[in-house]
Amino acid sequence: MKLAKTGYILLTLLLSTNAFAQQATLKMAKLKYNGGGDWYANKTALPNLAKFCNEALNTNFSEQDASVEVGSPELFNYAYLYMTGHGNVVFSPSEAENLRNYLMAGGFLHIDDNYGLDAYIRLEMKKVFPELEFIELPFDHPIYKQKYTFENGIPKIHEHDNKPPQGFGLIYEGKLVCFYSYETDLGNGWEDQRVHDNPEEVRQKALKMGANIISYAFTQN
């Protein structure tokens, strides 16, 4: 495990250089969890986000759909983890420890509430970082001011309860290790247009916000 974590740290340090981005194929994956929630939702989201980032940010992400179990050592092979769903989430103690080690080693988790995830994920992330609380990121946070600027914070993509969209974070030793998008459902906007019939303007907002998340995750100090 130490070798895997060391390798991941080197990956995050080198990613920001264009030469490395051209040489290595980076991977993003959907996080597979237990509890009965539909972790597999938004099936076309990640391939579309990877393609958009490769074109807009000059990254070299694999555009293949991938998933990884939260307790697997393979977690450390992925540069970015995406977690979504509508229902229950359960992390075992060993799964919570594995995810904590991944995030402490330089990994990044994006939780995207697909409606109904909030009550569960807040409890389960307490198993991962008992000492941390989700904090709402202000509109002037750098995650909203990467390649694309979002003056009013995270954009609204999909309507659920007529609540404003919010972006929360877990900050460990001064570093944002987990970004939680709530009441927006960015993944719906990343999906193929035919899936939700979102206007192209809305899809572009979602993809641009996704690119900002990726950019920030690999350039923050």
Side-chain angles (χ1 to χ4, degrees), residues 1-2 4-6 8-9 70 75-76 93-108 128-129 172 177:
M1 185 65 72
K2 289 183 179 178
K5 289 194 284 186
T6 300
Y8 194 88
I9 292 171
V70 65
L75 209 67
F76 293 86
S94 62
E95 289 172 337
E97 182 182 12
N98 194 51
L99 183 56
R100 180 185 176 94
N101 287 338
Y102 165 82
L103 296 172
M104 289 172 60
F108 191 87
V128 180
F129 286 107
Y172 177 76
V177 296

Side-chain angles (χ1 to χ4, degrees), residues 7-21 24 26 218:
Y8 194 88
I9 292 171
L10 291 174
L11 171 66
T12 57
L13 289 174
L14 291 171
L15 177 63
S16 60
T17 69
N18 184 62
F20 181 77
L26 304 172
F218 295 118

